[in-house]
Amino acid sequence: ITLTQALKLHKGGAPAGPAGTGKTETVKDIAHALGFPVYVFNCSDQMDYMSVGAIFKGLAMSGAWGCFDEFNRIAVEVLSVVAAQVKSVLDSCRRKSPTFSLLGQELALKPSVGLFITMNPGYKGRTELPENVKASFRPCAMVAPDIGHICEIMLSAEGFIHSKELAKKFVRLYQLNAELLSPQEHYDWGLRAIRAVLFIAGSLKRSQPKDVDERSILLSALRDANMAKLAKGDVHMFNRLLAALFPNIKDNILHDPTIENAIKTAASDMSYSLGDNNICLLYTSPSPRDS
């Protein structure tokens, strides 16, 4: 409601909150629900007013929506100029003018254009938005969602019957991972990673016979999706957490024996020694990215 009211007032929208709270996805879902094309731009400190202005021109002339992810990464001196460009587009929409002026050009304007920015406040390398930028965007605070509820719904949608019980185990595992495993820059125990693993679990569920234990399916998805990225010192702790949350459950999901045998043969020819789980990791690790 806050963001759609911002459009009604001919302003931009500015969802702000921690990573993984759905800022960009909210903008995308609103655009899709209303039938507008939306483009997401990942901002950086390398962007200047010319590059941002060119994006504004394209959006305003096509009537599409633009979502500028992590907008406060742009240098503060550039933001001051960008504020004037945003004001030019929004003022023309407010006046219902058929044209707008930007970078010395008079261009046709489609009034359906929407401008949105997302921010992660308090993060390193982020700048405070100038007041003239804040005046053009309506702020919208985003809070961390109920991950347990999201997991339960997604597991149910993927065909899991015992989704409530499994969702509790899933969320607890990721909470313990964040608390007990070593801090690594590439570790992600947030909503993005959870969503990817749930899609893998759903894919495994559909590929297995109906009588396979759902706990075994989820265990396999969690192990396959996470083992490849764990630091060597965290592997033992992760396996102990899995054993505690899934007691007496075996990971008996069958993978493709053809590729496993081919990998074993190739490794033997090159005099490599494979560990117990290396083939499984090699075969399944691309899946989270594909999801």
Side-chain angles (χ1 to χ4, degrees):
I1 293 175
T2 302
L3 295 178
T4 51
Q5 284 180 338
L7 294 172
K8 181 67 175 178
L9 297 171
H10 300 291
K11 286 192 170 188
T21 51
K23 300 182 291 295
T24 304
E25 292 300 320
T26 298
V27 174
K28 289 164 65 177
D29 285 348
I30 294 174
H32 294 158
L34 298 178
F36 293 116
V38 58
Y39 300 95
V40 179
F41 304 94
N42 294 312
C43 299
S44 74
D45 53 4
Q46 303 301 312
M47 298 177 74
D48 58 18
Y49 76 95
M50 292 293 291
S51 59
V52 179
I55 295 172
F56 287 154
K57 285 198 296 184
L59 294 173
M61 292 177 69
S62 63
W65 287 15
C67 180
F68 295 83
D69 217 5
E70 299 192 62
F71 191 70
N72 54 342
R73 291 180 63 183
I74 300 176
V76 65
E77 57 270 17
V78 177
L79 289 175
S80 298
V81 182
V82 168
Q85 296 173 341
V86 172
K87 190 174 186 302
S88 174
V89 174
L90 296 179
D91 284 350
S92 296
C93 292
R94 192 175 293 111
R95 294 194 306 267
K96 298 182 179 180
S97 171
T99 62
F100 70 104
S101 178
L102 194 64
L103 298 177
Q105 294 178 290
E106 193 74 18
L107 304 166
L109 173 67
K110 283 195 175 181
S112 61
V113 60
L115 302 177
F116 299 86
I117 60 175
T118 70
M119 295 173 291
N120 295 329
Y123 280 38
K124 185 179 179 181
R126 309 304 194 265
T127 57
E128 179 68 23
L129 292 186
E131 291 300 323
N132 54 349
V133 175
K134 293 180 181 178
S136 297
F137 292 91
R138 186 171 190 183
C140 176
M142 307 288 286
V143 296
D146 185 347
I147 295 179
H149 196 50
I150 293 173
C151 285
E152 181 183 345
I153 292 172
M154 290 189 68
L155 284 169
S156 181
E158 294 289 350
F160 286 82
I161 297 174
H162 305 289
S163 57
K164 190 166 189 175
E165 174 195 348
L166 295 176
K168 291 179 180 178
K169 292 178 179 292
F170 194 117
V171 173
R172 185 56 181 157
L173 174 66
Y174 270 47
Q175 288 174 343
L176 291 171
N177 285 344
E179 294 172 6
L180 301 178
L181 300 189
S182 63
Q184 304 286 337
E185 289 188 5
H186 66 281
Y187 282 0
D188 180 10
W189 310 114
L191 190 57
R192 286 189 185 93
I194 289 174
R195 183 170 174 268
V197 178
L198 290 175
F199 279 128
I200 295 172
S203 178
L204 282 174
K205 170 74 173 173
R206 290 186 291 273
S207 67
Q208 300 299 315
K210 291 185 178 180
D211 58 348
V212 175
D213 191 340
E214 290 184 344
R215 293 173 297 177
S216 176
I217 295 174
L218 184 59
L219 174 62
S220 178
L222 286 166
R223 178 172 286 135
D224 292 353
N226 290 298
M227 287 291 287
K229 69 181 180 184
L230 292 177
K232 186 175 181 180
D234 290 331
V235 172
H236 179 64
M237 176 59 74
F238 182 75
N239 283 328
R240 287 184 61 187
L241 292 175
L242 286 177
L245 289 168
F246 297 90
N248 303 320
I249 302 298
K250 292 185 177 180
D251 176 8
N252 58 0
I253 302 302
L254 298 177
H255 298 292
D256 188 344
T258 305
I259 192 170
E260 292 188 4
N261 291 332
I263 293 172
K264 287 179 180 177
T265 302
S268 178
D269 291 343
M270 293 184 287
S271 301
Y272 289 155
S273 177
L274 292 174
D276 295 336
N277 201 36
N278 288 3
I279 295 177
C280 176
L281 295 179
L282 179 64
Y283 180 48
T284 60
S285 59
S287 299
R289 300 180 185 87
D290 296 340
S291 299

